[in-house]
Amino acid sequence: MPHFYAECTDNIREEAKLPSLFAKVNSALADTGIFPLAGIRSRAIWLDTWQMADGKQDYAFVHMTLKIGAGRSLEDREKTAEMLFTLIKAHFADLMAERYLALSFTLEELDPVLNYKQNNVHALFK
């Protein structure tokens, strides 16, 4: 953990430049020193059907979620969330200047008990 999800409207598939965003997000999360590198993952969920507001414009949105394992302090979670939202706003600044675009971000801490994993990638980074 952490896992970064970007739910995006399909009308900005090229302009969103998600591979570039994911590279920035993964690097920034690794640089915090509080997340194991082998657990950092980013992914896109493309939405081909949506409606936003009155539906009269070519609106677009990106809702991003960072899911992390339990146990980090509130201070670390706040710093991480603020850092990522600043990075996200900078990444999408040019696109927001060109079109109607809504950005949202949330950080979710997973349940410490009801959270199951199996991963052999971590051994590669020890």
Side-chain angles (χ1 to χ4, degrees):
M1 255 11 227
H3 292 195
F4 182 79
Y5 299 77
E7 291 178 67
C8 301
T9 56
D10 200 44
N11 60 342
I12 57 170
R13 187 177 282 265
E14 297 302 318
E15 301 93 328
K17 301 177 183 168
L18 291 188
S20 173
L21 174 64
F22 292 165
K24 293 174 202 173
V25 166
N26 284 26
S27 179
L29 289 172
D31 289 347
T32 67
I34 61 173
F35 302 107
L37 180 60
I40 300 171
R41 297 185 186 101
S42 293
R43 65 193 70 134
I45 302 165
W46 291 105
L47 306 171
D48 63 1
T49 307
W50 73 93
Q51 181 163 337
M52 196 172 157
D54 59 8
K56 294 182 180 180
Q57 302 290 327
D58 186 29
Y59 304 117
F61 70 83
V62 185
H63 174 68
M64 291 144 287
T65 304
L66 181 68
K67 294 185 179 188
I68 65 170
R72 276 76 177 194
S73 69
L74 177 59
E75 180 183 18
D76 282 345
R77 287 180 285 154
E78 285 179 329
K79 282 183 191 176
T80 300
E82 290 169 8
M83 175 269 299
L84 280 184
F85 197 55
T86 298
L87 182 154
I88 288 163
K89 291 186 295 184
H91 177 84
F92 286 104
D94 290 342
L95 185 56
M96 186 166 267
E98 297 171 6
R99 63 168 304 124
Y100 293 112
L101 176 64
L103 300 174
S104 56
F105 171 73
T106 187
L107 186 149
E108 296 177 5
E109 185 177 44
L110 299 175
D111 187 277
V113 177
L114 301 174
N115 181 13
Y116 305 90
K117 301 179 200 94
Q118 182 174 348
N119 182 338
N120 65 3
V121 178
H122 287 276
L124 179 66
F125 291 94
K126 287 193 181 210

